[in-house]
Amino acid sequence: MFCLGLKGSDMGERKFSVSSSPHIRHEETVPKIMWTVFAVLALITVFGGLRVFCRDAKGNFYPWPIFVVVISVATAIGVEALILAIRKQPLKRALDGSAAVTGILFAMVISPAVPWYVVFFGALVAVAVGKQLFGGLGYNIWNPALVGRAFALMAWSAPMTRYWPDIFAGTPYPATDATITNALSAATPLTAAKMGKPAAVSISDLFWGNVSGSLGETCAFLLLVGGIVMIILKYIDWRVPVVYIATTVILCMLIPYGGNAKPAEWIKNMPWFKEMAFWAFSGGLFLGAFFMATDMVTTPITAKGRVIFALGCGILTAVIRKLGGYPEGVCYSILIMNTCVPLIDRFVKPRRFGTVTFYTPPQTAQATGKTK
């Protein structure tokens, strides 16, 4: 901070204090924002996911999905605290809510039937590599929860791709290779559509969450309500989810399946409005669009940049879904576009004020014959 003094004959001395940004302050804080997001995600998880996966059609109760969430959140906070202690940073940062959000998001993008070590090491990598390796909150390039998911998918491909519980089968958690049956390893809706398997769910099931999949795929209705709450609180920019979801749905309807895909007949025979709903409500599109692609650290800073970012996420998601080897593409599409954020910010940054001057230097004035 420094001061500029102006002296006048009858005004005395006036001082102007000039400090570094930010010059506009708000009552919102990082812990308040993060814990609010965590609370919304926790409600979605409890009422949207755990209500489905903790009980089967016979009423048997399985607490393993609860353990998955608890292990993930506890690991994320613990690893954050450990690394902060090693870096000699204030340990209270581990309780600012950002690690808890990373932990619950990671739990929501994996199957609730995976073994404990998949959850533990995935959450560890999410915080240690996806966040703290770059310097902590505000410096990470990629969404930490998606970094953890990408690592878990590479390290334990079988549990991450095969252990999808059937909510109508009374099979104990956690799943293992020995206990996998046709009922337990039920195909997710996107997998069934891509591989020609029978459809066991309706659009209503997708909307209300009566489907097989991760905890973040279980209730489009609650994810939509949670996203609207975030928009009303101005924690996220509405442009990102709207553009992302619209782009994905439109392109999924236009792009034909390619590669080794064997599209099911039921997806081909759907009316256009039901097909739109299917592509919107299936998979982790709502979770990614409202709670991951809108991450304030890993998304562009301008409105135009966010539209470009969301458009890229939608294009990549549709391409992976219809032409790629995976039935879902939200994770990798967001990670790829996270990598492009610095480039997007570079080309859409607003014009700086004060770069154009009408002052003519003396040398130029003499040469052109102009005077002041």
Side-chain angles (χ1 to χ4, degrees):
M1 180 180 294
F2 61 92
C3 295
L4 297 177
L6 296 178
K7 294 182 178 180
S9 58
D10 59 348
M11 296 179 62
E13 184 177 359
R14 181 179 297 174
K15 294 182 179 181
F16 298 92
S17 298
V18 181
S19 62
S20 61
S21 60
H23 300 294
I24 301 176
R25 300 184 181 274
H26 198 274
E27 62 182 4
E28 298 287 357
T29 62
V30 170
K32 181 180 178 181
I33 295 173
M34 291 299 173
W35 284 115
T36 301
V37 174
F38 179 84
V40 172
L41 291 172
L43 290 174
I44 294 172
T45 302
V46 170
F47 294 105
L50 301 187
R51 70 174 181 84
V52 174
F53 290 122
C54 283
R55 291 187 182 276
D56 63 8
K58 300 178 181 178
N60 298 318
F61 180 76
Y62 303 125
W64 190 252
I66 298 177
F67 294 154
V68 168
V69 177
V70 172
I71 292 171
S72 182
V73 174
T75 301
I77 295 177
V79 171
E80 177 107 326
L82 177 62
I83 296 178
L84 288 173
I86 294 174
R87 296 176 56 203
K88 298 182 179 180
Q89 298 291 324
L91 294 181
K92 65 179 182 180
R93 294 183 182 178
L95 298 177
D96 63 3
S98 60
V101 170
T102 297
I104 196 169
L105 280 175
F106 175 72
M108 293 178 75
V109 296
I110 62 176
S111 168
V114 295
W116 69 268
Y117 53 84
V118 176
V119 185
F120 176 81
F121 287 105
L124 185 151
V125 170
V127 174
V129 178
K131 182 180 178 184
Q132 287 296 329
L133 184 64
F134 296 94
L137 181 65
Y139 298 96
N140 50 292
I141 299 175
W142 300 292
N143 184 286
L146 293 180
V147 171
R149 185 189 186 281
F151 166 77
L153 185 60
M154 291 185 294
W156 297 283
S157 59
M160 288 290 291
T161 56
R162 295 174 59 198
Y163 293 4
W164 298 112
D166 188 337
I167 61 176
F168 304 110
T171 310
Y173 290 91
T176 64
D177 288 333
T179 60
I180 287 184
T181 64
N182 290 333
L184 181 63
S185 56
T188 61
L190 288 175
T191 302
K194 192 167 190 174
M195 303 311 297
K197 297 183 179 181
V201 296
S202 64
I203 300 300
S204 176
D205 290 328
L206 291 172
F207 187 69
W208 295 110
N210 299 318
V211 295
S212 178
S214 67
L215 292 177
E217 299 178 22
T218 53
C219 191
F221 170 72
L222 290 179
L223 288 168
L224 178 61
V225 172
I228 293 174
V229 170
M230 294 293 99
I231 293 174
I232 293 175
L233 294 175
K234 297 184 179 181
Y235 289 172
I236 65 176
D237 188 344
W238 63 269
R239 298 174 182 84
V240 176
V242 170
V243 174
Y244 188 178
I245 295 171
T247 303
T248 301
V249 170
I250 293 172
L251 291 182
C252 281
M253 295 181 68
L254 296 177
I255 299 176
Y257 278 107
N260 296 325
K262 300 176 181 179
E265 290 297 326
W266 56 266
I267 190 67
K268 297 179 182 179
N269 299 327
M270 270 190 175
W272 64 269
F273 56 91
K274 285 190 175 181
E275 186 179 358
M276 288 184 64
F278 174 81
W279 293 120
F281 300 155
S282 298
L285 181 58
F286 270 30
L287 179 66
F290 285 110
F291 294 96
M292 291 183 167
T294 54
D295 179 19
M296 63 182 69
V297 178
T298 58
T299 52
I301 59 176
T302 64
K304 185 187 297 184
R306 290 168 186 160
V307 171
I308 297 173
F309 174 85
L311 188 65
C313 288
I315 293 173
L316 290 172
T317 300
V319 168
I320 295 174
R321 281 185 175 187
K322 301 303 289 285
L323 304 178
Y326 292 107
E328 179 62 287
V330 172
C331 173
Y332 289 107
S333 66
I334 295 177
L335 288 175
I336 292 172
M337 292 308 298
N338 285 159
T339 310
C340 300
V341 166
L343 187 63
I344 295 174
D345 282 335
R346 177 180 178 182
F347 286 100
V348 299
K349 61 183 178 181
R351 173 181 290 183
R352 294 177 296 170
F353 291 101
T355 58
V356 179
T357 179
F358 296 97
Y359 171 71
T360 305
Q363 298 84 353
T364 306
Q366 294 177 2
T368 58
K370 295 182 179 179
T371 60
K372 293 183 180 179

